[in-house]
Amino acid sequence: MNMIRKLKVVKYALIGAALSFSAQVQAGDTIKVGVLHSLSGTMAISESTLKDTVLMMIDEQNKAGGVMGKQLEAVVVDPASNWPLFAEKTRELISKKKVDVIFGCWTSVSRKSVLPVLEELNGLLFYPVQYEGEESSKNVFYTGAAPNQQAIPAVDYLMNDLEVERWVLAGTDYVYPRTTNKILEAYLKAKGVKSKDIMINYTPFGHSDWQSIVSDIKKFGSRGKKTAVVSTINGDANVPFYKELGNQGITADNIPVVAFSVGEEELSGIDTKPLVGHLAAWNYFMSVDADVNNEFIKSWQKFVKNKKRVSNDPMEATYIGFKMWVKAVEKAGTTDTDAVEKAMIGIAVPNLTGGIATMMPNHHLTKPVLIGEIQEDGQFEVVWKTNGTVVGDAWSDFLPGSKDLISDWRAPLACGNYNVKTGKCSGQNF
Amino acid sequence: MASGLILLQGACAKQEPKMNQSSAANQISSGILYASRALLLLLTGLIVAWIFTSTALADEVGFEQAVQQLTTRKFRDKEKAVKQLADIQDKRTLPVLQALLDARLYYRKSDKRVVIVVPIDGQYQLSDPLNGEQLGTAAKRQLKKIGINNKLRKLLKAKLASLSLESPDVEVRLAAVEQMLGHLDEAQADYITRLAEQEQDEDVRDAMGSALALHQLEHGSDEQRLQAISLLSGNLSQVVNNHLQALLEKNEQGEFLETNTTLRKAASRALDLISSRLQINSIIETTFFGLSLGSVLLLAAIGLAITFGVMGVINMAHGELIMLGAYTTYLVQSAMPNYTDLSLIVAVPAAFIVSGLFGIMIERFVIRHLYGRPLETLLATFGVSLILQQLVRTVISAQNVAVSNPSWMSGSWQINAALSLTYNRLFIFIFAMVVFVALLLILKKTALGLQVRAVSQNRPMAQAMGIRSGWVDAMTFGLGSGVAGIAGVALSQLTNVGPNMGQAYIIDSFMVVVFGGVGNLWGTFVGALSLGAANKFIEPWSGAVLAKIIVLVFIIMFIQKYPRGLFPQKGRSAEN
């Protein structure tokens, strides 16, 4: 009896010791990776997927031996789709939790709110979503598409392959659609499209009554010239929009809609019948048949234990960003922000569509551009793609304010917005 | 066979000189000559027949090849195959092309045989496009769909239109003529002219007439064109409008492209008539849009009109009760996947019960304890709304779910060439009216309604008369919540079904109820429809964002002046 009790005590003591020891090992020898994606609120639909992607990448990296012999440790916080909270959570991640890198943000407004904190505390952020450009921060790597890697090639496709002459630019009323449409309008006008052949329309977030707008589009599109809709309509508002299109008899062969915010994830919550044939422009589609993509999808579905889960473009951007960061840390031999930043430029990793992504000096990537048609099963069939990859352009060449600006974070220049005309770096931090 | 005959003919020719030698044989020889001529004739006939059958054979082979070629991955080759199929005059072409357009043309993975499928109970029934033979059933994964792109879709529609001009179905013929409107070639124009003479249906004949007139406007003599314009005058089709407009276009020097002045004058008169008719159409259309938006607002708000208006409870979870109704629709639909058309009708009572039960639970467990403390009720029900949202996120999914439209709610009702009303909006408008009338009857004509009104007007007196006021409260709240659930069924047909959908409607609902006047169903009715209509009439010139703001500003100002809304409550109960 006594003996047994003693043994038990020893056992507990041993377990306790082992636990405290392993905790020490953990504390001393891990690299902390911050994950800043909304897990509640309106953006949870899209962002929680990216959180899972980062966790999967960390898991895989740890199984493969970690980075520089150290294990990675995820620090997940929930900014709850609340933009000011993004800034607070960033401060918490960098100053309190001492993370070495952050993967996060989705909306542009959340990125803008995080930016001053990152620059003040010299943090490192990988931003994985397509955005409107006009930004290049020393502390941010943009692994999603810039407008010239999504919007402009899509318009080129419509113009050259589908011979579109009239344009509807429809978007949700916030910064990404407004800037993208400004760029597109300037681009179309430079290509000789007249003002009367461009219709611009903005709607509030979550707009659900599309009757009059779709009826206007129908009238605009029946003037004898081929018409297309370029849609930067965001999130939930897409479902009633496409439903109304279908009900009013607008099909993809009379007026095709090319969307920049509708991917596999969004389609999985929609009855896709009325959408068949409409287009989307991305740098990745789940349906792309490449070995590395098939493998990625397999491990993703295994990780979330759901055979039906889809993959999408921002996931690929997260994948590329993570792989690049690992490579850069190994190249620099440290997780120090400045060293990693320097090492990042020029890093090349395979993307998921069978090509190579390279980090350019302006902190943007090289990407292929794909145009896909929506199929009845919610997947895309690629109908067009660029030859090779396109270099992301931080400052658009089609806006008067930014066409003279370049960004180059390499040694002598080290500036995010250098004006080639005046030869000056404006000195603003982004 | 043919080559054998040629040999025979050669043999006869060789014999001829020999037979000429005797006069006796002359007759015979002429007989033989005659015979050989007859043979020659027969031969030619046979050869012609052979050529004929061989072209038929070539068509047969071509048809088979073209169908097989559809299995190629390259869209350009598919396009060629479709064109080839359309050129072959064959009865089987139409079903194949139609199946391709409807995504019902597959090929078997095992032997690459092209099949037309009909889905039955999760299985596919196969038939051979070549000879119509039934090939049994197969599972989806044994088959591969033949994909098409937009270019092909367009080509298919054009080819199908010209193939179905002689269809026995009037609707199909009409659609075919309308599809071809404005781009006829000479051969098609002749073909349609012939068809128009035999056409029985008046609408189709009219459509054919406009198509031919449009063709003459492009290609005819000046006199024919003038006639065509007078025929097309008042036609609301946008294609006609474009062609007439083109007559009035100027070149860069400001000179008219069309030199004939009489024609131009006629065209501009025709256009004036068209545009005045279009104006009337567009007013009707906007009114419909407004009423339809109003009916959605009415559905969302009418449950609140009962809980807030009659009971005075500020229920922030009202939107979530709508959401629960929408999710019930989704669950009902996934429980009966083969009966989409029916599932919506089943969903209405189901959603009423589900949301109603949740409402009663909220009333019994939360609100009951907070009567007379509006601020606490507001906070508590806000908390309930968050709980319900998270409940759906955890139990079902954080992602939106797909609710499909039944066939009778898809598409639109084409009134004339320029005016069409979508069925889903039309049904929802009617549905909203039915729900409103039903609620009105419940409150005015039933015992429950009487008790509800009694309790809301004077609670102690009602209690003194033997009414169980607690029970009435629960039932009233349940009724309001159930109606919110029904609204969810309707909204699932228009917008997203997701955990956040309720929040989009809570503000609008309160807006309508406050504007219409608290405690008055008619106020809610008039408030919803007039706000909807105002929104839609402002939208065309201000844009959707500004329209919403203008309406909100208007309501703020209205409430300043008339704090009790459009239809204020009168009498003693209005005082407190």
Side-chain angles (χ1 to χ4, degrees):
Chain A
M1 212 48 177
N2 215 355
M3 192 62 185
I4 289 169
R5 197 175 287 158
K6 243 184 204 166
L7 266 179
K8 253 190 185 166
V9 172
V10 171
K11 205 165 91 190
Y12 284 134
L14 273 176
I15 291 170
L19 274 178
S20 63
F21 180 69
S22 71
Q24 268 174 4
V25 168
Q26 289 252 314
D29 264 322
T30 60
I31 297 173
K32 286 188 175 174
V33 178
V35 184
L36 183 71
H37 283 301
S38 302
L39 308 179
S40 51
T42 47
M43 292 310 295
I45 293 181
S46 313
E47 289 194 64
S48 52
T49 311
L50 294 190
K51 178 216 64 171
D52 289 335
T53 312
V54 180
L55 292 186
M56 176 181 84
M57 301 299 299
I58 290 175
D59 188 50
E60 278 179 3
Q61 194 65 40
N62 281 341
K63 278 182 191 151
V67 178
M68 297 187 306
K70 291 181 185 174
Q71 291 281 294
L72 299 178
E73 183 193 344
V75 182
V76 179
V77 290
D78 177 14
S81 313
N82 175 348
W83 320 135
L85 196 60
F86 269 88
E88 280 173 44
K89 289 286 175 189
T90 309
R91 191 174 290 280
E92 179 189 326
L93 280 174
I94 299 173
S95 335
K96 274 200 196 143
K97 304 274 174 69
K98 309 275 178 214
V99 299
D100 295 303
V101 61
I102 298 172
F103 290 87
C105 297
W106 181 290
T107 57
S108 287
V109 49
S110 69
R111 189 190 64 251
K112 293 272 186 210
S113 112
V114 159
L115 217 49
V117 183
L118 283 173
E119 280 165 358
E120 179 198 330
L121 303 173
N122 199 21
L124 193 59
L125 172 74
F126 281 80
Y127 176 68
V129 184
Q130 94 279 13
Y131 82 120
E132 67 280 4
E134 306 303 297
E135 185 182 301
S136 175
S137 164
K138 175 172 167 291
N139 300 77
V140 182
F141 288 95
Y142 306 83
T143 59
N148 73 321
Q149 290 174 307
Q150 194 186 22
I152 300 244
V155 166
D156 280 340
Y157 166 76
L158 291 174
M159 204 180 266
N160 302 329
D161 285 44
L162 299 184
E163 287 149 6
V164 171
E165 294 170 85
R166 274 168 91 82
W167 304 82
V168 180
L169 308 180
T172 302
D173 202 2
Y174 74 107
V175 55
Y176 167 66
R178 285 232 176 226
T179 316
T180 308
N181 286 345
K182 219 182 274 169
I183 293 171
L184 285 181
E185 195 187 352
Y187 181 71
L188 287 173
K189 284 191 175 153
K191 286 268 178 181
V193 178
K194 295 201 183 86
S195 303
K196 71 173 168 60
D197 287 331
I198 302 176
M199 165 179 160
I200 300 181
N201 187 291
Y202 291 105
T203 40
F205 268 100
H207 191 66
S208 65
D209 195 283
W210 289 92
Q211 301 178 86
S212 21
I213 292 162
V214 168
S215 149
D216 283 350
I217 291 176
K218 197 172 163 187
K219 281 182 202 132
F220 185 80
S222 57
R223 293 288 151 81
K225 285 183 183 171
K226 180 79 183 168
T227 306
V229 180
V230 178
S231 151
T232 37
I233 296 164
N234 193 37
D236 287 1
N238 277 301
V239 179
F241 175 59
Y242 282 111
K243 271 193 180 166
E244 192 67 39
L245 282 178
N247 282 332
Q248 292 204 16
I250 296 180
T251 51
D253 50 302
N254 350 319
I255 304 180
V257 179
V258 56
F260 302 146
S261 313
V262 176
E264 289 86 348
E265 185 94 30
E266 286 76 16
L267 289 183
S268 66
I270 307 184
D271 176 20
T272 44
K273 258 176 253 132
L275 280 69
V276 171
H278 288 302
L279 305 154
W282 289 104
N283 310 105
Y284 166 87
F285 285 117
M286 186 180 176
S287 64
V288 170
D289 194 22
D291 290 341
V292 40
N293 184 31
N294 296 337
E295 214 166 281
F296 176 76
I297 295 167
K298 221 166 103 190
S299 52
W300 165 244
Q301 289 175 339
K302 201 172 143 202
F303 184 78
V304 291
K305 298 190 186 69
N306 182 349
K307 281 249 173 260
K308 283 189 180 159
R309 269 302 275 276
V310 292
S311 59
N312 62 11
D313 184 271
M315 281 174 67
E316 192 222 16
T318 304
Y319 168 92
I320 294 174
F322 188 87
K323 291 271 176 191
M324 283 188 161
W325 173 75
V326 169
K327 234 176 163 179
V329 168
E330 273 166 355
K331 184 173 155 198
T334 164
T335 56
D336 176 69
T337 305
D338 291 330
V340 174
E341 259 169 32
K342 268 202 196 86
M344 273 297 293
I345 294 170
I347 291 268
V349 300
N351 60 25
L352 290 180
T353 50
I356 301 286
T358 313
M359 182 53 76
M360 303 312 284
N362 60 0
H363 286 193
H364 288 64
L365 286 180
T366 60
K367 281 170 171 285
V369 186
L370 314 173
I371 312 262
E373 272 183 17
I374 299 175
Q375 303 294 304
E376 213 158 314
D377 57 359
Q379 289 289 326
F380 291 88
E381 176 139 347
V382 177
V383 289
W384 182 86
K385 66 188 281 188
T386 47
N387 298 320
T389 53
V390 179
V391 177
D393 187 10
W395 301 99
S396 173
D397 299 339
F398 300 99
L399 288 182
S402 75
K403 67 174 175 231
D404 297 328
L405 297 179
I406 59 159
S407 157
D408 190 336
W409 287 104
R410 284 172 304 188
L413 199 57
C415 174
N417 48 11
Y418 179 80
N419 192 321
V420 284
K421 280 234 175 98
T422 57
K424 272 182 198 154
C425 185
S426 85
Q428 76 190 58
N429 286 327
F430 49 85
Chain B
M1 174 108 178
S3 55
L5 276 167
I6 290 167
L7 274 178
L8 200 79
Q9 193 198 15
C12 288
K14 264 181 208 164
Q15 274 167 1
E16 257 177 79
K18 279 182 199 166
M19 303 228 171
N20 267 342
Q21 279 170 357
S22 70
S23 59
N26 231 344
Q27 263 190 337
I28 309 166
S29 110
S30 71
I32 290 178
L33 198 73
Y34 192 76
S36 81
R37 271 203 194 134
L39 259 173
L40 202 75
L41 220 90
L42 182 76
L43 184 76
T44 346
L46 274 167
I47 289 175
V48 168
W50 176 71
I51 291 171
F52 200 76
T53 48
S54 73
T55 49
L57 207 70
D59 264 6
E60 179 62 41
V61 171
F63 186 80
E64 263 186 60
Q65 270 177 354
V67 168
Q68 203 55 47
Q69 208 190 348
L70 289 174
T71 59
T72 171
R73 277 188 75 86
K74 283 195 190 123
F75 285 119
R76 203 168 297 159
D77 292 346
K78 282 188 199 174
E79 215 174 301
K80 267 188 214 150
V82 169
K83 279 185 185 149
Q84 205 178 335
L85 278 174
D87 286 343
I88 300 173
Q89 301 288 330
D90 196 310
K91 277 190 177 145
R92 296 166 299 175
T93 307
L94 188 66
V96 173
L97 295 187
Q98 190 68 51
L100 184 61
L101 183 65
D102 299 346
R104 283 187 298 111
L105 200 66
Y106 284 65
Y107 66 85
R108 272 208 295 240
K109 282 180 186 162
S110 52
D111 57 358
K112 280 219 148 192
R113 186 164 177 180
V114 178
V115 290
I116 296 176
V117 305
V118 182
I120 293 169
D121 296 339
Q123 284 266 322
Y124 283 141
Q125 185 136 30
L126 314 181
S127 65
D128 193 319
L130 301 176
N131 50 26
E133 190 188 330
Q134 292 294 323
L135 298 171
T137 56
K140 194 180 176 184
R141 60 172 185 283
Q142 293 171 308
L143 301 168
K144 176 110 179 82
K145 189 169 74 195
I146 299 178
I148 50 175
N149 64 4
N150 282 330
K151 230 175 174 176
L152 262 173
R153 235 169 251 129
K154 194 162 189 172
L155 178 70
L156 279 170
K157 279 191 182 165
K159 294 286 178 197
L160 278 170
S162 61
L163 283 174
S164 47
L165 277 174
E166 288 183 76
S167 154
D169 189 346
V170 176
E171 298 285 311
V172 174
R173 285 207 299 276
L174 194 61
V177 179
E178 269 161 14
Q179 173 84 26
M180 294 172 81
L181 192 67
H183 26 82
L184 292 184
D185 58 30
E186 208 55 56
Q188 283 171 322
D190 289 345
Y191 180 42
I192 291 185
T193 316
R194 261 183 291 126
L195 287 178
E197 283 161 15
Q198 303 155 7
E199 180 58 56
Q200 302 293 323
D201 188 87
E202 200 179 328
D203 289 348
V204 180
R205 209 165 44 229
D206 283 355
M208 283 176 166
S210 327
L212 289 171
L214 213 51
H215 179 71
Q216 282 192 334
L217 187 62
E218 295 285 283
H219 304 284
S221 66
D222 276 358
E223 201 167 318
Q224 281 173 323
R225 294 172 73 191
L226 207 56
Q227 230 168 7
I229 291 176
S230 72
L231 195 80
L232 293 172
S233 172
N235 190 317
L236 292 176
S237 159
Q238 191 66 46
V239 182
V240 172
N241 201 342
N242 293 339
H243 276 83
L244 290 176
Q245 210 98 51
L247 288 178
L248 301 180
E249 242 160 54
K250 292 177 182 173
N251 65 7
E252 272 157 29
Q253 282 84 44
E255 297 157 352
F256 283 104
L257 292 172
E258 174 60 57
T259 44
N260 189 330
T261 339
T262 349
L263 267 180
R264 276 209 313 268
K265 272 191 185 147
S268 89
R269 268 201 308 275
L271 276 172
D272 284 346
L273 185 62
I274 290 175
S275 70
S276 70
R277 284 196 189 174
L278 281 178
Q279 200 111 42
I280 298 167
N281 268 325
S282 97
I283 291 172
I284 297 173
E285 194 181 33
T286 313
T287 312
F288 173 71
F289 289 164
L291 290 180
S292 148
L293 176 63
S295 66
V296 170
L297 289 176
L298 176 65
L299 273 173
I302 198 160
L304 199 74
I306 294 174
T307 53
F308 177 56
V310 177
M311 295 176 70
V313 172
I314 298 179
N315 179 17
M316 293 299 282
H318 180 75
E320 276 57 43
L321 293 166
I322 295 179
M323 172 198 76
L324 287 177
Y327 268 93
T328 313
T329 318
Y330 163 71
L331 292 176
V332 168
Q333 210 165 66
S334 28
M336 39 198 297
N338 298 323
Y339 304 97
T340 320
D341 286 8
L342 197 68
S343 67
L344 206 66
I345 295 163
V346 179
V348 172
F352 182 84
I353 293 168
V354 170
S355 293
L357 286 180
F358 268 94
I360 291 174
M361 263 157 49
I362 296 171
E363 202 274 341
R364 285 289 94 181
F365 293 117
V366 183
I367 295 171
R368 184 162 66 113
H369 306 287
L370 299 169
Y371 277 128
R373 289 148 68 190
L375 205 60
E376 282 91 331
T377 320
L378 189 147
L379 283 176
T381 50
F382 183 64
V384 170
S385 82
L386 293 181
I387 293 171
L388 288 178
Q389 276 177 36
Q390 201 57 41
L391 182 79
V392 170
R393 270 199 202 104
T394 340
V395 175
I396 296 173
S397 153
Q399 259 76 31
N400 289 347
V401 294
V403 176
S404 50
N405 291 17
S407 56
W408 46 272
M409 276 186 90
S410 311
S412 53
W413 175 31
Q414 197 78 36
I415 295 171
N416 61 37
L419 181 63
S420 64
L421 307 180
T422 53
Y423 282 126
N424 62 349
R425 298 277 176 181
L426 210 57
F427 276 114
I428 283 170
F429 179 74
I430 296 167
F431 184 66
M433 295 305 124
V434 171
V435 170
F436 176 73
V437 171
L439 263 185
L440 214 58
L441 288 179
I442 288 177
L443 284 185
K444 292 268 147 90
K445 304 277 176 198
T446 65
L448 176 71
L450 189 67
Q451 291 174 357
V452 167
R453 281 180 292 143
V455 170
S456 74
Q457 277 172 18
N458 195 330
R459 184 177 292 269
M461 188 57 84
Q463 276 170 334
M465 303 295 277
I467 292 171
R468 288 161 60 200
S469 71
W471 183 82
V472 169
D473 284 341
M475 282 302 117
T476 315
F477 203 84
L479 180 68
S481 309
V483 172
I486 291 181
V489 179
L491 289 178
S492 77
Q493 293 301 311
L494 294 180
T495 179
N496 298 282
V497 178
N500 303 321
M501 74 176 284
Q503 293 183 325
Y505 291 96
I506 184 76
I507 293 172
D508 286 347
S509 305
F510 271 109
M511 209 166 76
V512 167
V513 174
V514 171
F515 175 65
V518 175
N520 192 328
L521 282 190
W522 278 105
T524 310
F525 180 81
V526 175
L529 292 188
S530 51
L531 285 184
N535 213 325
K536 284 294 158 188
F537 275 101
I538 299 170
E539 209 178 284
W541 61 266
S542 72
V545 182
L546 204 60
K548 229 176 162 164
I549 294 171
I550 292 173
V551 168
L552 269 172
V553 169
F554 164 74
I555 288 183
I556 291 171
M557 292 184 0
F558 183 85
I559 296 298
Q560 297 281 326
K561 182 92 179 132
Y562 303 97
R564 288 179 185 279
L566 275 178
F567 294 88
Q569 265 188 330
K570 295 189 183 89
R572 235 178 309 175
S573 61
E575 299 307 317
N576 38 45

